[in-house]
């Protein structure tokens, strides 16, 4: 056997051992996580109880785009919208003029486009 053939053979053996070890580990983990049938029957609540105890999970609404936020602010009467920034803490921050002509800084909900805070901008 040449040196290259020996290297390839050892790599193949190592890879097969790695795959076999991963499969054994996955099987062990699955067995550890799955409760015994008697425990599962005791732990699982009746369907009527599950419906009463678990709140209905509403799917998260997708985040609005900057263009959609601009259109919503314009529809709400804000004019001269000069800045829309996406904030990780507050959704969107918008600088514009309100319908009364005052310069304002707004916080906008990223899913609904509703103004959550409005203050005068100095």
């Amino acid at each position: 056997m040449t040196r290259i053939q020996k290297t390839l053979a050892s790599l193949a053996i190592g890879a097969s051992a790695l795959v076999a070890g991963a499969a054994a580990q996955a099987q062990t983990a699955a067995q550890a996580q799955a409760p015994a049938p008697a425990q599962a029957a005791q732990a699982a609540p009746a369907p009527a109880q599950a419906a009463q105890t678990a709140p209905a999970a509403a799917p998260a609404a997708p985040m609005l785009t900057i263009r959609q936020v601009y259109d919503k602010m314009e529809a709400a009467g804000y004019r001269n919208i000069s800045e829309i920034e996406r904030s990780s803490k507050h959704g969107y921050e918008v600088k514009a003029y309100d319908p009364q002509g005052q310069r304002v800084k707004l916080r906008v909900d990223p899913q609904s486009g509703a103004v959550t805070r409005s203050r005068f901008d100095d």
Side-chain angles (χ1 to χ4, degrees):
M1 248 188 192
T2 66
R3 189 173 178 179
I4 294 175
Q5 289 173 331
K6 288 180 184 179
T7 304
L8 291 174
S10 64
L11 286 174
I13 291 169
S16 64
L18 181 64
V19 169
Q25 184 179 7
Q27 184 179 11
T28 305
Q31 288 174 350
Q33 290 178 353
Q39 291 174 345
Q42 292 173 355
Q49 290 175 337
Q52 293 172 355
T53 58
M63 196 166 173
L64 296 174
T65 65
I66 290 176
R67 181 63 197 186
Q68 290 170 325
V69 171
Y70 182 91
D71 291 341
K72 285 192 176 274
M73 295 299 99
E74 200 170 51
Y78 294 97
R79 299 288 175 245
N80 297 334
I81 301 168
S82 63
E83 191 174 321
I84 300 176
E85 290 182 351
R86 193 174 293 167
S87 169
S88 61
K89 293 182 182 178
H90 308 295
Y92 286 101
E93 293 180 355
V94 179
K95 290 184 180 178
Y97 285 90
D98 67 5
Q100 291 77 33
Q102 297 288 327
R103 180 83 174 149
V104 291
K105 191 172 187 179
L106 309 167
R107 286 188 185 164
V108 179
D109 182 80
Q111 280 83 28
S112 68
V115 175
T116 57
R117 181 177 175 189
S118 176
R119 66 176 191 167
F120 294 111
D121 193 20
D122 295 327

